[in-house]
Amino acid sequence: MRTAVVVGAGIAGLAAAGALAREGWRVTLLERGERVSAPPTALVLWPNGRRALESLDPDGGWPGIAAPLPDGGVRRPDGQWLVSPHTRPGAGPAPAVVHLEDLYDALVAGLGEGVEIRTGVEITKVRAPRAARPAVGDGSRLLEADLIVAADGIDSPVRRALAPEAVAVGSGFAAWQAVVPAYRMPALPPDQAAGGETLGAGYRFVSMPLGERAAGRGGVYWVATAAGAPRPEPPATQLALLRRWFKSWHAPIGELLAATRPEDLVPQEVRELRPLPRAYGFRCGSGGVVLLGDAAHAMPHHLGQGACLAFEDAATLRSLVATAEPGAALGQAVEAYDRARRPRTASVVRQSRRMSAVVQARGRLALRARDAALSSLRPRILGYAHGLAADWQPPD
């Protein structure tokens, strides 16, 4: 039987492990943490992400957990419109928002009996010689397989061993995420309940309503970003800082922050890979090693494409290795995965970095130029990104 080791049990690793198992592979899924658990936040699924998930698991019940995302437009902190709603660029279905608890539940349910999960495993050794089967180990044991899938995030030890030129660097800002459950939400008028994006001088606030059944409690998901390094203070202090920074911003930003509790807050340093790895697939032995998700192409999150590209990676990999037997066929599939994914992800990373420059504008002149150009610049950038998302189709 064909064997695979998937390193990392985040959404990328879970999607890849389940897809390989459904194609008849015997899969070992390794997780560094003591359990497989979802962060208490949410993410946006663009059409490409939805299509990828549906191709990976047609019976995954994705429509039941994803809520359509209304276009809330873009405002200045004083509430003035920079880009009004009703101007969503591009064609195709609107994006949707999904709570990560629901997404994890669906992905874990799709693993089936063909996946063995091992938690508390931290990879410290990677072996990928040209003539031998690839293997990974934690210092006490070494696991060989026909295929190693590195879905272990931006700090991937597998990528560091095989593509050390790709270095994780800060993107110049910090982010905070939270989900405010519906029972804690104040009543909001329709124009505020639709959510939206607000841009200030180095600050950004985005909110979006979740479906009524999201994580069993509904609510609103919000993301705030600020230029600079991540804060070292405890969550309660960081939440107090956010309330102070966004105090004068238009409603319902203050109301959302007031309804947020310190235990809801998920702070993070936003990082990216510079440069991208020279390859996403490394052929060796009876198959090889592939990089997937943030291990391959971590980027600023301004276009919301990180998770969607990870699902594309998994869908592409599944298609290429579905019938490939260990040996020449599987080695060729590993090389084909590299050829298929690198140009695609490089295009999206470029667009994400362009939007990052727009979002992080600071200084009076830079802000005036940004705000004046935003009505045409943002739809053009997002139109291209939305076109990339809407046009992508699973390899099958």
Side-chain angles (χ1 to χ4, degrees):
M1 176 178 285
R2 298 173 297 173
T3 59
V5 170
V6 177
V7 184
I11 54 175
L14 290 170
L20 291 172
R22 284 187 290 276
E23 296 295 341
W25 289 70
R26 188 174 75 241
V27 181
T28 301
L29 178 59
L30 307 179
E31 167 58 29
R32 181 176 59 181
E34 293 303 321
R35 61 192 182 97
V36 177
S37 60
T41 60
L43 61 81
V44 175
L45 284 175
W46 288 76
N48 55 322
R50 286 283 295 273
R51 292 192 185 106
L53 282 174
E54 289 163 0
S55 73
L56 288 165
D57 186 1
D59 301 319
W62 311 115
I65 64 172
L69 182 63
D71 185 352
V74 185
R75 298 176 189 250
R76 288 178 16 176
D78 60 6
Q80 179 179 333
W81 290 109
L82 293 172
V83 181
S84 62
H86 319 302
T87 56
R88 184 182 301 283
V97 61
V98 58
H99 198 289
L100 283 182
E101 289 182 12
D102 295 330
L103 183 57
Y104 268 69
D105 287 346
L107 291 170
V108 170
L111 292 178
E113 298 180 355
V115 179
E116 176 191 2
I117 303 176
R118 300 185 188 180
T119 58
V121 180
E122 184 168 359
I123 299 302
T124 59
K125 183 174 183 180
V126 179
R127 190 187 72 186
R130 186 72 179 181
R133 296 175 83 203
V136 292
D138 62 355
S140 61
R141 53 189 166 180
L142 198 64
L143 290 174
E144 289 187 349
D146 300 308
L147 180 67
I148 303 289
V149 180
D152 46 350
I154 190 170
D155 293 313
S156 167
V158 180
R159 187 200 64 248
R160 286 201 301 264
L162 300 180
E165 71 281 355
V167 178
V169 299
S171 295
F173 61 98
W176 296 262
Q177 303 178 60
V179 171
V180 181
Y183 66 83
R184 254 197 271 140
M185 280 296 301
L188 299 176
D191 64 321
Q192 296 179 14
E197 176 179 0
T198 305
L199 293 177
Y203 295 87
R204 182 192 193 204
F205 195 95
V206 181
S207 65
M208 54 196 80
L210 296 167
E212 294 181 359
R213 295 174 294 173
R217 53 187 180 271
V220 172
Y221 167 55
W222 63 258
V223 182
T225 60
R231 305 293 301 198
E233 299 90 350
T237 305
Q238 294 191 45
L239 182 56
L241 284 171
L242 290 169
R243 289 169 176 166
R244 189 179 74 196
W245 291 341
F246 293 98
K247 181 179 180 179
S248 63
W249 289 37
H250 67 81
I253 294 173
E255 290 81 351
L256 289 173
L257 290 171
T260 302
R261 295 176 179 172
E263 60 268 25
D264 301 326
L265 201 63
V266 181
Q268 66 177 132
E269 179 186 12
V270 180
R271 297 181 295 157
E272 59 188 290
L273 291 179
R274 284 184 180 263
L276 293 176
R278 70 183 188 280
Y280 290 168
F282 303 85
R283 183 174 181 175
C284 60
S286 56
V289 181
V290 296
L291 306 180
L292 191 148
D294 280 352
H297 43 66
M299 70 189 78
H301 59 208
H302 298 301
L303 294 181
Q305 277 292 319
C308 294
L309 287 180
F311 295 141
E312 284 187 26
D313 292 342
T316 303
L317 180 66
R318 179 203 61 81
S319 175
L320 291 170
V321 306
T323 59
E325 293 297 326
L330 183 55
Q332 291 167 4
V334 167
E335 294 174 338
Y337 171 82
D338 175 57
R339 293 193 298 271
R341 295 309 299 159
R342 272 196 300 136
R344 163 72 174 166
T345 57
S347 296
V348 179
V349 167
R350 283 195 298 270
Q351 294 304 315
S352 181
R353 289 173 179 167
R354 288 183 63 194
M355 181 54 74
S356 182
V358 173
V359 169
Q360 294 186 73
R362 303 177 72 181
R364 183 175 300 177
L365 294 178
L367 288 173
R368 284 182 180 176
R370 180 196 70 186
D371 292 352
L374 196 60
S375 59
S376 61
L377 178 63
R378 183 177 184 271
R380 189 163 65 248
I381 295 176
L382 285 185
Y384 181 71
H386 190 90
L388 286 175
D391 292 344
W392 184 87
Q393 296 290 338
D396 291 342

